[in-house]
Amino acid sequence: QALFPTSYFIIIYRHPLAVSLATQRAWRRHTSLHSLFRHWLHAYDLFEDDRAYLRRVMSIRFEDLLVDRDRVLQSALQFLGLERLDLPPDRLDQTVNERYFAQWRAMASSVTGRAYSRFLLRRFELRFRTFGYSLQV
């Protein structure tokens, strides 16, 4: 913002399970979910700390974009001071997070993953809820 005083900031939040499990898969499982959850919280905590210093900032939940793409995009365009657009047909897969939620539920119900998922739930659930998310999917 100091370098570009007329800049706008749009932050997109996405469910921590989807982000963390996708990252873990991309990194071939070399990082624990505990570490990835901590990183997710750290990144968004940093943003929340910075938010007070930003003049033009908007937050969007990825899940809201999936459910009501036109409304969310039109709201972003209005925020940016741009004209309304006629958007092509919606081709977003609204179930994109579901595969990660299913993976989490499978882990949580397995003999080996049950204790770990309970630990993660106790450790992170309240903090994720402050961002509007839950591990109880």
Side-chain angles (χ1 to χ4, degrees):
Q1 181 172 281
L3 292 173
F4 302 99
T6 61
S7 59
Y8 289 77
F9 299 87
I10 298 178
I11 304 302
I12 300 178
Y13 288 83
R14 186 174 182 190
H15 199 290
L17 270 173
V19 171
S20 298
L21 289 170
T23 301
Q24 192 178 56
R25 189 180 84 197
W27 292 355
R28 295 185 172 44
R29 300 185 183 268
H30 294 303
T31 307
S32 70
L33 281 178
H34 183 271
S35 175
L36 292 167
F37 286 173
R38 281 186 26 236
H39 182 268
W40 189 99
L41 285 167
H42 180 68
Y44 288 116
D45 282 341
L46 286 174
F47 164 68
E48 290 299 333
D49 290 345
D50 289 346
R51 180 194 291 268
Y53 303 102
L54 299 173
R55 285 189 292 273
R56 288 174 293 276
V57 63
M58 176 184 197
S59 298
I60 295 173
R61 287 172 39 102
F62 179 74
E63 294 76 16
D64 293 339
L65 182 62
L66 293 176
V67 172
D68 195 357
R69 177 198 72 151
D70 291 348
R71 181 191 58 78
V72 171
L73 291 179
Q74 297 302 344
S75 176
L77 288 170
Q78 182 179 7
F79 167 72
L80 295 169
L82 300 173
E83 292 185 26
R84 182 175 175 85
L85 291 177
D86 290 325
L87 299 169
D90 188 350
R91 290 192 174 93
L92 297 175
D93 178 3
Q94 295 183 357
T95 65
V96 68
N97 282 350
E98 184 53 41
R99 72 172 160 241
Y100 299 112
F101 298 159
Q103 184 181 345
W104 168 256
R105 287 189 297 268
M107 183 188 86
S109 65
S110 74
V111 173
T112 57
R114 189 172 298 127
Y116 186 51
S117 64
R118 286 181 183 161
F119 162 74
L120 293 172
L121 188 69
R122 283 192 311 272
R123 172 75 172 81
F124 294 104
E125 180 67 12
L126 289 178
R127 290 283 290 120
F128 286 153
R129 284 186 183 201
T130 65
F131 292 94
Y133 292 106
S134 174
L135 293 175
Q136 297 175 343
V137 294

